[in-house]
Structures are given as C-alpha cells and as structure tokens.
Amino acid sequence: MVFSSIPFLYYFLPVVLFFYFAVPKQFKNMMLFLASLFFYAWGEPVNVIWMLMTILVGFYSGRMIEQYREEGSAKRLLVLSIVIHVGLLVYFKCAAVLPIGISFYTFQILSYEIDVYQGKVPAQRNLIRLGVYVAMFPQLIAGPIVRYTDINRALSERTHSAENFALGMRRFVIGLSKKILLANVLGRLCDIFQASNDKSVLFYWLFGIAYSLQIFFDFSGYSDMAIGLGRILGFHFPENFNYPYISRSITGFWRRWHISLGSWFRDYVYIPLGGNRVSTRRWFFNIFVVWILTGLWHGVAWNFVIWGLFFAVLLVLEKRWLLKHLEKSRIFSHCYVLLAIVVSFVIFYGTNMSDLFICLGGMIGLNGLPLISKEFIYYLRSYGVVILLGMVGTTPLIKMLIVRLEQNTFGKRAVTILEPLLLIGLMLLNTAYLVDSSFNPFLYFRF
C-alpha cells in the first residue's frame, strides 16, 4: 500500500485515524503498531517476519548492551547486532527481492542500538513502543530516517490538538500533490523517452531534467506526507528536504537533500572514522567510504556505486579548491550544481552499465544522434508547462509570496480563507487523477 492510492486515502487512513483517536491513551501505541503491520502486510505479508525480527533483535540487543555497557561484552553485542541487521539488508539487496522500507527501518534500529551503547538514550523497556518506532507506517516506506532520540519522549507521552491535525493535513495534501500532479506526470514523460525511437541530444537532456524533477517531487512529496501524518499522530519528524536545487555547491546540495540520510552517515560513519580531523589522505578516504556506502544503500549495482563516487569526487574537489571559486559567481555556481544534479540522476536512473553509457553518450552527442528531433519538440511543448511548474516548485518562491502576502491584514485574511479551499481543490484533483490513471510509480520501492 502506498500513500498515493485510493485504498490508503479513503479506506485505510480514515479508519486508522478514527480508531487511533477513539481508543484510550494507553492503547494508542498498540493501535498504531497493529495498523502499521497491516499497512506493511498489505502488499508483502511474508516480509512482515523480517520487520518483526528486526524489532525483536533491536529490543533485546538494546537491553543487553545497556546492561553490559561498562563491560567489554557490550561492544561485542553491538557488533553482533549490527552484523545481523546489515547482513539481512545486504542479503535482500543482493537477492533483488527487497522488503519495502528495509533500508529505512534498518538504519533506524541501528541508530537506536548505537545511541544506547553510547549512553545517549536508555534502552526501551516496552516492546510495543520500540515496535512503533521501527514500524510506524507514516515513515516506513520512504523515510525520513527518524532517530530514536527524536521521538523517544513522544513514544510514551505525546499531545494531540486540532492545530497539529490541521497542520499535518496541510503538509500531507501538499506532499500528495507533489507526488501525483508533478512526479507522476514527469515520470510518464521519462517512460515515453525510454520507449522513443526518435531520440536526440536535446531529448536526452529533456529526459535528464524531467527525471531530476520527478525524483525530487516523488521523494520530497513522500517525506512531506510522512511528516504531515506524523504531526497528526503527535510526532514531530525531522525535515528531509530544504530546497536542494537552489544550492550553490554540491556540499550545500547534500545539506539540503535527503537530510536524514546524510546526517546518519555523518554521525555514524564519517565522524567515527575521524571525519576531517585526520590527515588529508585519510580525510579523502573517509569521504569516499561514506559515498560508496551511500550509493550501496540505494542498491547493490554499479550505477549506484558510480553515483556515489561521482559525488565523492565533486565533494573532494570542492573542499580542496573549487568552493572559493564558486563563491565568486552566483550564476556559475548555480549552473554547475544543476548540471551536476542532472548528470548524477541520469547515472542514478541507469538499470545497467550499457544503458548508462548510451544515455551519458547521448547527452554529449556521441551516439550519432541529431541535436533536435520531432519527438523532442512535441514533448517539450506537451510537458513544458509541467516542467516549468516543477522548476518553480523546487524554489522557495511560492513560500516567499505567501509570507509576503501575510504581512498585511487583508493578505492574511485572504490566505486564511483561500488556503482550505485550495487544499480541498487539490485533494479533489489528486483523487480525479488517481481514479482516471493507473500510472502511479513509486521510485523508492527500489530502496
């Protein structure tokens, strides 16, 4: 089951919210845990066993690590638990049969166990609470990667209010609209390009731009929906995107893109390896290790390794000498980042090395293709408005306009009146698209 589906929107979610708010406080975690297991089992009932195994291993490992923290055995217990979790993750990625959300919930339970070992949080004594942390359906399939420290208190004591409900629903509808009205439409263009027999250099670039926008709106849309649902249920999940496409460097881009994953690798891999407080050679080694692992987190395939190495090289170049040049020119720095983003996601898209090199070659005119083709012109005209809207949507322009509008009394009243009408209109439009179209891909099922 996915958020952008009729069964979720009009059956599962209303029923779950009704019973969640109807049951007494002491049963809310149990209600949420059972609903999450049902959500997960909807499409993959067999794979629920692996999630339950992860929860059980994490629960008992956390308690034993805390109990023996002052002894050497605690470290051995932590290492054993990490081997089990990472071993399962690697096995499924290599087997190409990936339980939904395993990359996300594996990293969540690892952060919990490491934080317990380091004494940052006490081990959870309630199995259901830890189960809710690992399996909670809002952020189960596409993140953000929530740290145990972020929601430890909320697992036992959280508040609900009409304001949080309204804010959560607004965030959810905005994320749903990103996914259905932008990501899905752009995804259709990407599929058309792949099936086309009239490719050209500019058509390749149109594809690269469309896919870069699609993956942003797909992933950030799901993050928005997760954060919104969490807010409704009384949880405050961390932000996962902060307008990454307006960055002026790749360093800045990765502070804004998939923030929860980047901060996880920083805190649990990069810093323990020594970070930048080591020799230059070791520093570069640390960067490459982190980015190879980041690539492999997305999949055990050469295109993901190349994708990770691509960013590692750019980050090393920036840290050594490029950043000081990027700071001199706003236009050049933005162009450089956008070019790197498009190329990186073409690499990311590749299903095999042959197709990857054909695509990259097509972008620089190495495949004997014309610069322009009839299909490029046709689909540029057909999807030009959506691409333009997507480009605007990657910037804070709309948010800035709303803030400016709310600075006077009339504008604030207008926003108060129009916002619920706009959200209702978006919800109706999203529903119409879902009813009318069977095209509803979810990119992060791959991870």
Side-chain angles (χ1 to χ4, degrees), residues 80-128:
L80 176 61
S81 182
I82 291 173
V83 168
I84 293 172
H85 295 309
V86 175
L88 278 175
L89 180 61
V90 171
Y91 168 77
F92 282 114
K93 283 186 176 288
C94 290
V97 181
L98 207 62
I100 297 173
I102 189 171
S103 296
F104 292 94
Y105 69 70
T106 297
F107 270 35
Q108 290 192 181
I109 200 66
L110 286 175
S111 70
Y112 162 73
E113 293 175 355
I114 294 171
D115 286 350
V116 169
Y117 174 76
Q118 294 177 344
K120 294 180 180 179
V121 293
Q124 179 56 254
R125 294 295 194 270
N126 186 299
L127 181 60
I128 298 300

Side-chain angles (χ1 to χ4, degrees), residues 128-284:
I128 298 300
R129 288 178 188 169
L130 188 67
V132 169
Y133 164 65
V134 174
M136 200 184 330
F137 74 86
Q139 46 79 55
L140 175 65
I141 58 174
I145 299 172
V146 179
R147 308 278 186 94
Y148 182 77
T149 52
D150 294 331
I151 63 170
N152 178 26
R153 181 173 298 178
L155 287 169
S156 56
E157 190 69 33
R158 54 186 179 273
T159 58
H160 307 86
S161 66
E163 181 185 10
N164 279 336
F165 191 95
L167 290 172
M169 286 303 300
R170 179 177 69 180
R171 188 70 179 267
F172 179 84
V173 173
I174 290 172
L176 184 67
S177 302
K178 285 183 178 181
K179 164 61 181 166
I180 295 174
L181 304 181
L182 291 172
N184 283 5
V185 176
L186 292 163
R188 194 176 292 113
L189 174 58
C190 292
D191 285 355
I192 289 170
F193 167 80
Q194 291 298 325
S196 172
N197 293 317
D198 189 26
K199 292 185 174 68
S200 63
V201 174
L202 291 183
F203 204 0
Y204 270 103
W205 279 100
L206 183 65
F207 157 72
I209 293 169
Y211 183 67
S212 298
L213 292 172
Q214 180 198 3
I215 197 168
F216 170 75
F217 287 113
D218 190 280
F219 193 17
S220 69
Y222 262 94
S223 291
D224 286 340
M225 287 187 274
I227 291 169
L229 289 173
R231 190 71 174 264
I232 291 170
L233 298 170
F235 296 93
H236 293 265
F237 298 154
E239 293 295 333
N240 215 19
F241 291 86
N242 183 23
Y243 302 107
Y245 288 3
I246 67 170
S247 304
R248 296 177 57 188
S249 67
I250 295 301
T251 302
F253 172 79
W254 275 102
R255 289 172 181 156
R256 294 169 174 267
W257 176 278
H258 205 342
I259 299 169
S260 62
L261 179 66
S263 63
W264 197 98
F265 273 111
R266 179 197 65 207
D267 294 343
Y268 297 109
V269 179
Y270 181 67
I271 291 177
L273 285 174
N276 59 359
R277 297 183 178 182
V278 290
S279 65
T280 301
R281 181 177 297 179
R282 179 55 188 263
W283 180 29
F284 291 169

